Amino acid sequence: MTEKDIVFMKEALRLAEAARDAGEIPVGAVVVKNGEVIGRGQNCRESGGGASAHAEILAINEACAKLGGWRLTGCELYVTLEPCPMCAGAIVNARLDRVVFGASDKKMGALGGLFSLLDYPLGCKTIVESGVLEDECKTILDSFFTAKREVNQAEKNKSKRLGRDFYTADVLDVAPALLGKLLCRRVESGEVVKYRITETEAYRGEDDTACHASKGKTSRTSVMWDKGGTVYVYLCYGMHNMLNIVTGVKGDPQAVLIRGIETADGPGKLTKKLAIERRHNGADVVFSDELWIEDDSFVPENINTSPRIGIDYADEKDRLKPWRFTYNE
């Protein structure tokens, strides 16, 4: 490693920094002849440069244009990361005298990291030097990918509204799956409040004597025959609104009663807390701007099952079904 190598690798690093600032993988390259930079390049695939827009390719193309031909005999390439097979092929084809890179690449490197293209009888005698400003070249790459992973994880963890497919499953699948999801309500001020669902109950069709559908379709219960994701709100004991979400396919009456959320451990308490009223009956949580459910990738542990509550009117076989779902916070 000479002083000249350090100077030109620093120039390649400046191009790598520019690539990073543009959201590209931070790789920079320069082609040098007689101590003068005649070609510069930085990764720009994501910026619309195309699949071949690697730093080395762009630097080689610029150098060829300046010299007026495709041969780069007497030239050196400095690049912050070991060239991939495509770029190594371009190096061979351009007849570069020497390649100097900073960080090696054991996954894609074609000048010794993964394999060496120059080991093949290609008629090119390019000299390869590695490890020039290696720490600096590795640091910029490592910090870029660390930041990218953090952004990807944050995006993954961002809560997303549940879609139709979630609700059209059978109620016995939807009811436990709703545990830990976020019940969202846009209040009068425009603010969106979100509370984690902690307790649900499943009510499954006309054969379930605990289910309202068992009495047949009425003006009150007809919404249960609607598509999955429809809101079913009814008044209990003349004072408490009860929030249910219809599940399954249209025409098959079933629904999940949301019995509890954080800070509200009963169905009447939660509807009062969130101002959920009879006017919400028939709303669609897939598209509603007032009431919906989101998934933020939280997965509750220790889901518990037990018989449903407050269904003394149902047949014994239905009273004993373990269709109430809770989890330990």
Side-chain angles (χ1 to χ4, degrees):
M1 183 170 58
T2 66
E3 186 64 31
K4 179 193 74 170
D5 290 339
I6 293 173
V7 169
F8 290 124
M9 188 60 75
K10 284 183 176 179
E11 179 63 22
L13 274 166
R14 281 192 285 272
L15 291 164
E17 290 169 355
R20 175 200 61 198
D21 295 344
E24 300 279 351
I25 295 174
V27 179
V30 295
V31 174
V32 177
K33 184 169 186 178
N34 298 328
E36 177 190 355
V37 175
I38 61 170
R40 291 177 172 83
Q42 64 191 59
N43 273 358
C44 64
R45 288 187 304 174
E46 304 300 331
S47 307
S52 64
H54 287 201
E56 303 95 306
I57 299 291
L58 298 178
I60 288 171
N61 287 343
E62 185 173 290
C64 289
K66 186 162 185 176
L67 295 180
W70 60 268
R71 293 179 184 272
L72 295 182
T73 304
C75 297
E76 301 169 292
L77 173 73
Y78 290 84
V79 60
T80 55
L81 179 65
E82 181 182 351
C84 70
M86 175 182 70
C87 295
I91 289 165
V92 169
N93 286 325
R95 304 296 192 265
L96 280 154
D97 284 5
R98 182 170 179 253
V99 174
V100 180
F101 64 83
S104 61
D105 186 352
K106 295 187 181 302
K107 292 183 178 179
M108 289 290 290
L111 294 182
L114 178 63
F115 73 101
S116 178
L117 187 68
L118 299 178
D119 288 344
Y120 295 88
L122 300 174
C124 181
K125 303 297 184 181
T126 302
I127 297 170
V128 177
E129 306 278 358
S130 63
V132 176
L133 299 185
E134 181 177 11
D135 289 344
E136 292 89 335
C137 294
K138 287 179 64 177
T139 296
I140 190 172
L141 285 161
D142 290 344
S143 60
F144 173 82
F145 285 113
T146 297
K148 191 173 182 67
R149 282 191 294 270
E150 290 174 352
V151 169
N152 290 342
Q153 188 61 44
E155 184 63 27
K156 181 180 178 180
N157 292 339
K158 187 185 297 183
S159 59
K160 298 178 182 178
R161 183 188 289 236
L162 296 175
R164 184 76 65 202
D165 289 348
F166 179 89
Y167 299 106
T168 53
D170 188 271
V171 69
L172 294 181
D173 295 320
V174 177
L178 278 172
L179 294 177
K181 301 296 188 290
L182 296 169
L183 181 60
C184 306
R185 172 79 166 94
R186 189 183 302 278
V187 296
E188 191 172 344
S189 67
E191 177 190 6
V192 176
V193 295
K194 303 180 182 184
Y195 295 95
R196 210 168 289 285
I197 297 171
T198 58
E199 182 179 354
T200 61
E201 284 183 348
Y203 290 86
R204 192 168 186 259
E206 295 171 275
D207 294 334
D208 176 10
T209 58
C211 180
H212 291 174
S214 65
K215 305 298 183 183
K217 186 185 293 187
T218 66
S219 58
R220 177 199 188 201
T221 64
S222 60
V223 69
M224 292 190 70
W225 277 260
D226 211 331
K227 59 185 175 296
T230 304
V231 176
Y232 173 34
V233 179
Y234 63 87
L235 195 63
C236 183
Y237 303 129
M239 64 178 75
H240 300 303
N241 288 310
M242 310 289 271
L243 173 64
N244 300 260
I245 308 296
V246 174
T247 67
V249 297
K250 190 170 184 176
D252 182 11
Q254 47 180 260
V256 177
L257 170 63
I258 301 181
R259 288 196 57 90
I261 57 174
E262 306 170 282
T263 74
D265 59 353
K269 291 180 182 179
L270 80 85
T271 53
K272 184 176 181 180
K273 185 180 184 72
L274 297 179
I276 295 171
E277 303 167 344
R278 283 280 296 146
R279 68 182 181 83
H280 293 109
N281 188 56
D284 187 345
V285 292
V286 175
F287 299 111
S288 173
D289 192 47
E290 288 191 45
L291 184 65
W292 65 93
I293 300 174
E294 292 180 356
D295 181 4
D296 67 349
S297 300
F298 172 77
V299 179
E301 298 180 359
N302 303 319
I303 293 178
N304 305 307
T305 61
S306 59
R308 294 169 289 184
I309 298 172
I311 55 169
D312 294 341
Y313 56 85
D315 294 346
E316 182 179 9
K317 66 178 177 63
D318 292 322
R319 292 200 304 271
L320 296 176
K321 286 176 178 174
W323 288 359
R324 175 175 172 240
F325 304 92
T326 60
Y327 75 92
N328 298 329
E329 296 183 68

